């Protein structure tokens, strides 16, 4: 994965890449993975040009080692020298024939040679796009209260002078979606007592509900001032029952890279069973308002939603719940994985489920947002359901 990504960055491979959540030595890390590159590796296996051996890592996770087969070596002899030299330029240390290999140091990947040369890979640096979203809570989770507010009037803010920081400037858009809603879900240890405490924390029972919330701890309670980061979360209560559930809107005000504009508003639904939903409706992505949303851009937005939803909910749940999450996720709760549900009114091109599962460009596009595809079904003449890992 790291070698393929480095080849894409060096413009050697004409692949797209997108953020992908994976475990590295029991840590969940976002890496820029090329689904097209992985698909081509699997094609080489099918053609018996490379051999594969599955082994276990030090953390007892399955991993696959690859080796060129005799059939593959014979084919390599016919590759033009010019093509080989282009590969050598990024595979070897500059000015030598020392092969670079990917090494994980616990925080990042490095491209390292036998003589000690190394440079940091940007594979773990996720990218941002400008977008505008509104809070979304499915009607089946609502129990009265006012409807969520729309940011459609602000859709123009993600276009015009707004930018992204995507390093690959030649994205191949194979599939686009119209009128997209996103729900990210996870399980958090909850119960009636925790819901009561949560309702008290966000002021559901007070005359003035909600307001700005921060996870900052006040160490000087007798002081008359508190200096904190301006990166706050604004909470507005939609509806609640004291011991069973709460639905609220949360507007994120986190700093982004220069030029990146993100109007990020979540609809959050938490209940006593522990099922937690974070929903948003996309009003605009870059210069595209409502429709023609690229899956390449959507993959970057999903990373934002997963990371920022953890920050929001961690600021309102109890310390006991945060301790339980850290226990379950081995001290890495902020990077915990979640389930993505993407709903769109229309998909272009509109094909049958079987045609989407083509082991090629369509399936690779879906893999960017839902992981490895498991199955696809036509549930009506106009509706298709695709399951990922």
């Amino acid at each position: 994965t790291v070698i393929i990504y480095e080849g894409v960055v060096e413009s050697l491979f004409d692949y797209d890449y997108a953020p992908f959540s994976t475990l590295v030595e029991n840590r969940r890390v976002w890496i820029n993975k090329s689904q097209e590159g992985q698909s081509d590796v699997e094609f080489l296996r099918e053609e018996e040009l490379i051999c594969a051996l599955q082994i276990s890592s030090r953390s007892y996770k399955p991993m696959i080692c690859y080796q060129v087969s005799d059939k593959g070596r014979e084919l390599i002899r016919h590759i033009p020298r010019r093509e080989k030299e282009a590969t050598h330029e990024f595979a070897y240390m500059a000015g030598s024939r020392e092969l670079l290999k990917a090494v994980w140091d616990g925080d990042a990947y490095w491209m390292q040679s036998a003589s000690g040369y190394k440079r940091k890979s940007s594979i773990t640096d996720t990218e941002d796009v400008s977008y505008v979203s509104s809070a979304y809570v499915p009607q089946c989770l609502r129990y009265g209260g006012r409807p969520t507010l729309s940011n459609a009037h602000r859709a123009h803010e993600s276009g015009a002078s707004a930018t992204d920081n995507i390093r690959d400037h030649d994205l191949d858009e194979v599939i686009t979606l119209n009128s997209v809603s996103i729900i990210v879900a996870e399980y958090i240890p909850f119960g009636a007592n925790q819901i009561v405490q949560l309702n008290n924390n966000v002021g559901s029972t007070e005359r003035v509900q909600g307001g700005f919330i921060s996870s900052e701890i006040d160490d000087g309670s007798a002081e008359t001032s508190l200096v904190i980061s301006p990166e706050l979360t604004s909470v507005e209560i939609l509806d609640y029952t004291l011991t069973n559930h709460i639905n609220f809107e949360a507007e994120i005000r986190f700093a982004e890279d220069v030029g990146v504009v993100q109007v990020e508003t979540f609809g959050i639904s938490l209940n006593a069973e522990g099922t937690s939903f974070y929903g948003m409706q996309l009003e605009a992505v870059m210069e595209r308002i409502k429709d023609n949303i690229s899956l390449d851009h959507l993959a970057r937005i999903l990373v934002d939603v997963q990371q920022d939803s953890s920050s929001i909910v961690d600021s309102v749940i109890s310390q006991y719940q945060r301790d339980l999450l850290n226990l379950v996720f081995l001290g890495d709760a902020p990077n915990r994985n979640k389930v993505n549900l993407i709903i769109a009114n229309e998909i272009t091109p509109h094909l049958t489920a079987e045609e989407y599962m083509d082991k090629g460009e369509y399936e690779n596009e879906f893999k960017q947002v839902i992981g490895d595809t498991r199955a696809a079904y036509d549930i009506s003449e106009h509706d298709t359901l695709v399951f990922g890992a």
Side-chain angles (χ1 to χ4, degrees):
T1 299
V2 182
I3 301 297
I4 292 175
Y5 168 78
E6 290 294 325
V8 174
V9 172
E10 294 292 330
S11 301
L12 180 67
F13 302 136
D14 187 22
Y15 295 147
D16 287 348
Y17 61 81
F20 180 82
S21 179
T22 187
L23 283 173
V24 182
E25 294 185 359
N26 285 329
R27 275 195 60 197
R28 187 157 289 280
V29 180
W30 288 98
I31 63 171
N32 294 310
K33 180 178 180 178
S34 171
Q35 297 293 348
E36 293 168 287
Q38 184 62 37
S39 178
D40 280 353
V41 169
E42 291 169 0
F43 173 76
L44 293 176
R45 288 185 62 187
E46 289 176 343
E47 296 298 316
E48 298 180 350
L49 297 173
I50 59 175
C51 305
L53 173 66
Q54 181 170 306
I55 59 174
S56 294
S57 66
R58 286 183 296 179
S59 54
Y60 302 102
K61 303 295 181 183
M63 60 182 294
I64 299 178
C65 301
Y66 297 105
Q67 183 184 51
V68 180
S69 66
D70 292 338
K71 184 179 177 181
R73 287 194 185 92
E74 183 61 32
L75 183 63
I76 289 174
R77 293 178 184 176
H78 302 286
I79 297 177
R81 184 181 181 85
R82 180 171 53 86
E83 301 289 344
K84 292 181 180 179
E85 287 301 323
T87 305
H88 293 165
E89 286 181 11
F90 98 94
Y92 292 119
M93 185 179 75
S96 75
R97 277 295 184 261
E98 285 191 37
L99 194 64
L100 295 173
K101 64 178 181 179
V103 177
W104 174 255
D105 69 353
D107 294 306
Y109 276 104
W110 295 78
M111 299 303 292
Q112 187 170 311
S113 71
S115 63
Y117 164 84
K118 66 177 184 178
R119 60 177 172 82
K120 188 176 180 180
S121 172
S122 58
I123 192 171
T124 54
D125 298 337
T126 55
E127 301 161 334
D128 295 310
V129 297
S130 297
Y131 65 93
V132 176
S133 67
S134 299
Y136 171 64
V137 180
Q139 199 59 41
C140 61
L141 298 175
R142 296 298 307 273
Y143 297 87
R146 69 165 177 83
T148 56
L149 300 179
S150 172
N151 285 325
H153 63 287
R154 301 182 62 182
H156 64 280
E157 294 183 27
S158 68
S161 59
T163 61
D164 59 49
N165 57 15
I166 298 177
R167 292 178 286 275
D168 183 2
H169 299 293
D170 187 25
L171 296 175
D172 296 324
E173 296 181 4
V174 179
I175 294 174
T176 58
L177 304 176
N178 293 348
S179 190
V180 180
S181 298
I182 299 169
I183 297 177
V184 170
E186 67 172 337
Y187 172 79
I188 294 178
F190 261 108
N193 292 337
Q194 280 74 32
I195 289 291
V196 172
Q197 184 61 51
L198 175 58
N199 277 307
N200 289 332
N201 289 348
V202 299
S204 300
T205 58
E206 297 177 6
R207 179 177 176 179
V208 180
Q209 298 176 322
F212 289 103
I213 291 180
S214 170
S215 57
E216 190 79 19
I217 296 175
D218 185 8
D219 293 323
S221 56
E223 301 295 329
T224 58
S225 64
L226 175 66
V227 179
I228 61 173
S229 165
E231 298 183 347
L232 298 174
T233 300
S234 174
V235 170
E236 296 288 339
I237 309 301
L238 296 174
D239 60 86
Y240 75 98
T241 52
L242 190 60
T243 61
N244 192 53
H245 91 284
I246 180 172
N247 291 324
F248 60 93
E249 285 181 341
E251 182 181 355
I252 309 298
R253 303 186 180 183
F254 292 165
E256 302 294 342
D257 289 348
V258 177
V260 177
V261 176
Q262 293 183 348
V263 180
E264 200 171 359
T265 307
F266 287 92
I268 298 179
S269 179
L270 308 174
N271 60 51
E273 286 74 36
T275 314
S276 307
F277 299 97
Y278 318 98
M280 65 165 55
Q281 183 169 339
L282 295 179
E283 305 294 352
V285 179
M286 300 299 291
E287 73 285 351
R288 304 177 187 186
I289 297 178
K290 204 75 172 175
D291 296 337
N292 199 30
I293 305 301
S294 162
L295 292 190
D296 296 285
H297 289 156
L298 190 58
R300 274 89 180 166
I301 294 172
L302 285 169
V303 178
D304 259 352
V305 175
Q306 293 227 8
Q307 292 177 335
D308 293 346
S309 60
S310 293
S311 299
I312 298 169
V313 80
D314 287 355
S315 66
V316 297
I317 62 177
S318 67
Q319 183 60 46
Y320 175 64
Q321 290 170 291
R322 287 194 288 269
D323 289 342
L324 285 176
L325 286 173
N326 271 316
L327 175 65
V328 171
F329 293 99
L330 304 176
D332 198 33
N335 296 316
R336 59 189 182 269
N337 203 18
K338 302 182 178 76
V339 177
N340 295 331
L341 173 62
I342 302 165
I343 306 166
N345 284 358
E346 188 176 351
I347 183 171
T348 305
H350 187 274
L351 307 174
T352 64
E354 185 178 357
E355 289 172 317
Y356 284 130
M357 299 294 101
D358 64 344
K359 295 185 179 180
E361 58 180 6
Y362 294 125
E363 191 168 352
N364 290 334
E365 283 281 289
F366 280 119
K367 286 180 179 181
Q368 291 187 134
V369 292
I370 61 173
D372 292 335
T373 48
R374 299 299 190 208
Y377 302 98
D378 291 313
I379 55 178
S380 76
E381 185 179 348
H382 303 289
D383 300 302
T384 303
L385 190 60
V386 183
F387 288 94

